[in-house]
Amino acid sequence: MLTPIRLEPGKTLLLDGPSSATVLSGLVSVFGAELKPRRRLVVRKGRRMPLEAIEPSELDVVVGQGGASTVVEGSPIPDSWREAAESLISKQGEARVMVLGGVDVGKTSLCTFLVNTALKAGRSVGIIDADVGQSDVGPPCTIGFARAGKPVLDLSELRAEHAFFLGDKTPSYMVDRALKGIEEMVEKAEEEGVDFLVVNTDGWISGQGAAEYKRATASIVRPDVILALQRGGELKQVIAALEGWEVRVLEVSPFVKERDRETRRELRAQGYRRYLEGSKIISVQLDWVEVEGDFPGSGLRPSRERMALIRSILGFDPLFCEEDTRRLLLIFDEEVLPGQEALDSLRAQLGKDVEVMRRGEEKNLLVALYDKEGRFLGIGTVVGLDYRKRAVRIFTPVDEEQVARLCVGRIRIDKDGNEVEGPAELKSAPGEVM
């Protein structure tokens, strides 16, 4: 039988997952949320949770493979965090706070502490999680909003009530779309009537593009204060771009755990799995739904005359063909692909881009599903596409009768939520050699 861990006030138990702790006696706090006797905390793989003793306490701790438990001196909540939270809580009326910082500086921990502190003060609390690569509130690759009705140990306890599908794990490739998503979630928060709004941001902080993106985010959020977590001067350029906004620089908690790329991938996989739980394969007719993003089967089929021209240039028929105002998409079986000269000739004849795909290249693409009212229903992963019937099979917990809009992402995941590599790139742009 394991000996319980004794924790005195002024000490903190750091739990690295996979692990768990059950309070046997006393009182401990996790980011401002209290754990009383018989309460159990489960720490996910790749995460670290601090249990701070408020009273002399005993805890039953179980550590899994790869996990760890360590008792340290001091509080996981720096004084500057407490001062910032108290300042915001004391503000009359609505309060908004935006949290920024690089990777693994404790943004999620600070947001959790702010949420719990505001709830204790009787505020109506909402959170927007715009950290698309390490989202806790919504699935990865989304910007999610949720209201918090009670203190939380982990933001993943909240499930997104509204979500905007970005389709990638970083906003750097699609800044305008990411800003649109943040704006939509702010509007949802206003509709829900929360009077204390916390907005978490992503870890993209390097370069002028990142600085401009964070300034544009602030213009949308309109925060009363921006709380910036930094270890050195890595936020200098971002903070300079935020001139005109109140920015308070806070220290990083000494107990924050830095994670490698593989651990962050595993945390995203956990997020995908959480939102794919209970999935089955559904079939969605592409002619009956709105399709957002590049996806075979959602364009127009060329006329007979157009197909005759394509056939004469290529020398054979593609498996499937469709086009829109900017491109022609050709899909072929693996064994039969056109040569570069034929594609260049076709491009010149049509005056538009020509893209080539192999059959099955759409497999594993991450998608989001919405209803006819524009409400986010969930995510899914593409199993396959029937080009002739223009129907896509999707592994998702969403019922097919509800689907009115399909958004296609840039990330591919398997049924277990693991990110996978896509097929060899075949898409041909003007002047490129395949």
Side-chain angles (χ1 to χ4, degrees):
M1 183 175 179
L2 295 176
T3 303
I5 291 179
R6 180 79 178 177
L7 206 60
E8 298 293 336
K11 294 184 181 292
T12 296
L13 172 65
L14 300 180
L15 275 185
D16 294 332
S19 58
S20 67
T22 303
V23 179
L24 301 177
S25 65
L27 180 67
V28 299
S29 174
V30 179
F31 301 127
E34 295 181 347
L35 263 74
K36 298 179 180 180
R38 293 186 295 280
R39 284 289 306 276
R40 181 169 178 257
L41 168 67
V42 176
V43 185
R44 296 177 285 154
K45 181 180 178 181
R47 298 299 292 266
R48 167 176 286 176
M49 301 291 277
L51 293 86
E52 180 181 6
I54 307 302
E55 301 174 357
S57 304
E58 283 193 339
L59 300 100
D60 183 17
V61 176
V62 178
V63 177
Q65 185 174 1
S69 68
T70 310
V71 176
V72 296
E73 295 283 347
S75 171
I77 309 299
D79 289 341
S80 63
W81 292 23
R82 298 184 192 277
E83 292 166 4
E86 289 169 5
S87 175
L88 281 161
I89 295 300
S90 64
K91 181 181 180 296
Q92 295 297 316
E94 181 183 309
R96 293 185 183 184
V97 56
M98 176 174 148
V99 175
L100 66 86
V103 176
D104 294 337
V105 294
K107 295 191 301 294
T108 300
S109 299
L110 175 57
C111 288
T112 308
F113 176 69
L114 292 169
V115 165
N116 290 334
T117 303
L119 284 169
K120 284 184 178 179
R123 306 296 289 269
S124 171
V125 181
I127 180 163
I128 295 173
D129 194 343
D131 188 359
V132 292
Q134 293 293 311
S135 178
D136 287 291
V137 173
C141 303
T142 68
I143 299 167
F145 165 79
R147 290 168 297 179
K150 61 181 181 179
V152 293
L153 305 175
D154 189 324
L155 288 184
S156 65
E157 294 176 22
L158 303 173
R159 197 171 182 92
E161 299 171 39
H162 304 282
F164 179 93
F165 184 68
L166 182 66
D168 206 340
K169 54 193 175 186
T170 173
S172 58
Y173 300 116
M174 42 184 69
V175 167
D176 290 344
R177 181 171 174 81
L179 292 172
K180 178 185 176 185
I182 293 171
E183 184 174 23
E184 285 194 12
M185 293 303 100
V186 169
E187 290 173 356
K188 294 298 183 183
E190 292 171 347
E191 290 172 7
E192 297 292 348
V194 298
D195 62 24
F196 191 96
L197 179 64
V198 179
V199 180
N200 194 17
T201 62
D202 62 278
W204 180 35
I205 58 171
S206 298
Q208 186 61 32
E212 292 174 356
Y213 174 65
K214 293 301 188 291
R215 179 170 181 81
T217 299
S219 297
I220 293 169
V221 175
R222 305 184 306 280
D224 296 285
V225 64
I226 298 171
L227 302 182
L229 293 169
Q230 67 172 349
R231 290 191 172 92
E234 70 269 20
L235 291 177
K236 183 177 180 180
Q237 189 173 12
V238 172
I239 292 174
L242 292 168
E243 184 179 1
W245 300 99
E246 181 186 349
V247 180
R248 295 181 63 170
V249 178
L250 310 183
E251 71 264 41
V252 175
S253 171
F255 304 139
V256 167
K257 181 181 180 179
E258 295 188 51
R259 298 169 292 204
D260 58 25
R261 181 175 296 181
E262 190 56 41
T263 300
R264 289 194 290 271
R265 283 173 63 94
E266 169 57 27
L267 288 171
R268 283 197 298 275
Q270 292 175 17
Y272 293 129
R273 287 195 289 268
R274 185 160 66 103
Y275 277 82
L276 287 173
E277 187 176 358
S279 289
K280 70 280 184 187
I281 296 176
I282 66 171
S283 180
V284 175
Q285 197 73 34
L286 293 173
D287 289 332
W288 297 350
V289 299
E290 177 187 350
V291 178
E292 214 175 279
D294 291 336
F295 194 67
S298 59
L300 297 174
R301 295 183 182 181
S303 64
R304 289 185 179 181
E305 293 76 14
R306 193 73 143 182
M307 284 304 304
L309 173 63
I310 293 169
R311 187 183 308 112
S312 68
I313 294 174
L314 298 181
F316 59 94
D317 282 325
L319 176 67
F320 182 77
C321 180
E322 67 180 20
E323 66 179 322
D324 54 32
T325 56
R326 66 177 181 84
R327 68 159 188 172
L328 175 75
L329 175 64
L330 304 171
I331 297 176
F332 298 92
D333 281 317
E334 182 81 23
E335 302 79 16
V336 185
L337 293 173
Q340 185 63 45
E341 185 177 343
L343 291 174
D344 289 341
S345 176
L346 185 58
R347 186 180 299 113
Q349 285 277 348
L350 300 181
K352 62 174 63 176
D353 290 346
V354 175
E355 295 184 1
V356 175
M357 289 179 60
R358 294 187 181 99
R359 179 207 289 265
E361 202 169 322
E362 72 288 340
K363 187 176 180 182
N364 292 324
L365 277 171
L366 179 67
V367 297
L369 307 153
Y370 291 79
D371 67 13
K372 62 183 179 180
E373 305 297 330
R375 286 188 292 263
F376 175 76
L377 299 173
I379 60 170
T381 179
V382 174
V383 175
L385 177 63
D386 187 322
Y387 302 108
R388 302 300 182 188
K389 295 182 179 179
R390 297 166 68 88
V392 58
R393 290 185 301 137
I394 302 171
F395 182 72
T396 179
V398 176
D399 293 329
E400 60 188 82
E401 295 81 9
Q402 296 179 279
V403 181
R405 179 158 61 99
L406 177 69
C407 297
V408 185
R410 294 161 50 100
I411 302 296
R412 296 172 190 269
I413 62 170
D414 62 21
K415 289 184 178 181
D416 295 321
N418 300 305
E419 292 174 358
V420 295
E421 296 296 325
E425 189 66 39
L426 284 178
K427 294 180 180 179
S428 176
E432 290 186 345
V433 177
M434 290 183 62

